[in-house]
Amino acid sequence: MIDFTNRKNRFLNLIDVPKTYIENIKEKTKSDAYYPTYHVAPHHGLLNDPNGLSFYKGEHHIFYQWFPLGPVHGLKHWYHVSTKDFVHYCDHGIAMYPDQTYDSYGCYSGSSLEVEGELFLFYTGNRKSEKGGFNQSQCLAKMDSSNLVKKIGVIVDRDETVFTENFRDPVVFQRTNHSFLLVGGETIDNQGALALYKGETFYDLSYQGNIDIGINDFGHMWECPNYYEQGKNGVLILSPQGISSFSKYDLKNVFSVVYFVGEKIDVENNMFKNDGFIELDKGFDFYAPQTYEDEKGRRILIGWLGNSKSEYPTDKNGWAHMLTIPRELKIKDNVLFQEPVIELKDLRASSHNFEREIRLISGSFELECEIQDEFGITLQNDEGANITFSSNGEEYCLDRSNMSELYAERFGTERYAIRKIKEKHNVKIFVDQSSMEIFCDNGETVFTTRFFIKDLSHLTAYGVKGKLHYLSSLQVTSTR
Ligand code: FRU
């Protein structure tokens, strides 16, 4: 594999390497036992944030950040897949290459909106700055109904008197006669901020100032804002860098994701009145989620099942990360609840009851469990290496300190959350070879993690009455 400790190599392009290099890492990726079967994952190289999520022309469109040449953050492309049912996918290949002056060092994250029949893709163009370092501006591209993407150009330039070079990840919304764009950033006094732009169209946006979200000193950089309005509410999801907590229950991820439910943004006064932040996921590998509304009026969330600081045991095989399963989001009393989308039931191949133990014939399955106040669920191999999810009735604990392949231990090996429903209730757990997504308290408490256990062979449990559904692989066709 290319030596990426030499940082220059991260800016190598697809055309800079021989075809055999790509074939080789593709082959290695495919034969990795930890590679998922029903999650969207890269053919090779590194996937990070989901981008441009939308329901457009009868399909869910999912783009993601992709560096093709290895498991590191290098020159980013937008990769594109679509699906009608989250079981059958169409692989459209690369939607955007970093091939313009304004995005020559990466087509960074962004969102989308259907405007007059076309899908507008808003993203950050990362380029070298004449002053050294990088410069980030917000750009527009358009996709038509045949999935062809055409770049339009820069629509928002950074105000250097307000922002450092961290100024990215646009998200948009429209109100009568006006279009709005929000950008995450770092101010020159190193505070996370959300810049508001307004225009009659997306071509004449002007800077309105930063939104007051009601907290100060909330990290130094706000990445990947996602904002939507539903009923009387405005919902803001943020991936801030540099926030922490002394409580063992809160903000323990490498970078934590938080949300705020409140009133709709007051665009006259740059104000977002809300009930304060709540952490969206308790660990360990979850970042940069985005949401969109589909044709059924559902709000769907997909996140990056990974984080930017951990090295993973599979890096040696030339690939890194996957997207989470799609989850339906609901707001109740200003709290968000996440629930795997119902379509995933169509992946079920066979179902088995368990209470104490079950031998596994595959590492891709879903558990539906009725849990008692005290319970434990352990996935393990014959040598006893394991990952355990348990509760003493008061708190949940996800413990990955006994895996056969430990990684990222410097960020801790256990995660805790206070239990919202102390009595018996149903939890859902999705396992896909090396990932686990746990939905408890009716989806109010969620843990998303990777795990690495060589030759996973069985599941043991106590305080649980469960059903295990083996899940089949995604069916992918290609238009590449
Ligand atoms: C978040 C992020 C974004 C950026 C992208 C680059 O993971 O750092 O802020 O646009 O990744 O890949």
Side-chain angles (χ1 to χ4, degrees), residues 48-49 65 73 76 108-109 168-169 223-224 287-288 304:
N48 57 306
D49 315 348
Q65 288 283 283
H73 290 270
K76 296 290 167 68
Y108 277 10
S109 285
R168 54 182 179 263
D169 310 336
E223 293 192 310
C224 302
Y287 198 61
W304 167 23

Side-chain angles (χ1 to χ4, degrees), residues 220-282:
H220 59 86
M221 168 63 192
W222 294 354
E223 293 192 310
C224 302
N226 184 257
Y227 175 73
Y228 66 94
E229 299 182 339
Q230 192 172 308
K232 60 179 190 354
N233 288 122
V235 179
L236 175 67
I237 301 177
L238 277 184
S239 297
Q241 298 191 321
I243 56 170
S244 60
S245 160
F246 290 114
S247 160
K248 76 170 184 183
Y249 300 113
D250 300 317
L251 308 180
K252 289 291 165 284
N253 284 352
V254 171
F255 295 123
S256 298
V257 178
V258 297
Y259 70 87
F260 306 75
V261 180
E263 296 174 10
K264 293 179 179 169
I265 291 180
D266 170 355
V267 289
E268 301 306 319
N269 299 299
N270 294 353
M271 177 80 84
F272 176 49
K273 280 201 191 127
N274 62 76
D275 282 4
F277 75 88
I278 299 179
E279 196 175 2
L280 193 58
D281 191 281
K282 292 297 179 184

Side-chain angles (χ1 to χ4, degrees), residues 449-461:
T449 190
R450 295 295 298 281
F451 71 94
F452 296 90
I453 297 175
K454 203 166 176 300
D455 302 323
L456 187 66
S457 60
H458 58 287
L459 178 158
T460 56

Side-chain angles (χ1 to χ4, degrees), residues 268-332:
E268 301 306 319
N269 299 299
N270 294 353
M271 177 80 84
F272 176 49
K273 280 201 191 127
N274 62 76
D275 282 4
F277 75 88
I278 299 179
E279 196 175 2
L280 193 58
D281 191 281
K282 292 297 179 184
F284 295 68
D285 299 285
F286 180 82
Y287 198 61
Q290 274 202 11
T291 74
Y292 66 104
E293 192 183 84
D294 77 352
E295 90 290 15
K296 299 192 177 100
R298 294 182 296 182
R299 178 59 51 177
I300 297 177
L301 174 144
I302 296 176
W304 167 23
L305 210 166
N307 68 66
S308 55
K309 292 262 186 280
S310 304
E311 274 147 19
Y312 293 80
T314 46
D315 289 355
K316 59 179 181 304
N317 292 329
W319 71 284
H321 313 303
M322 62 186 89
L323 297 179
T324 66
I325 51 170
R327 307 162 179 187
E328 185 174 351
L329 268 188
K330 286 190 179 143
I331 309 175
K332 223 187 284 159

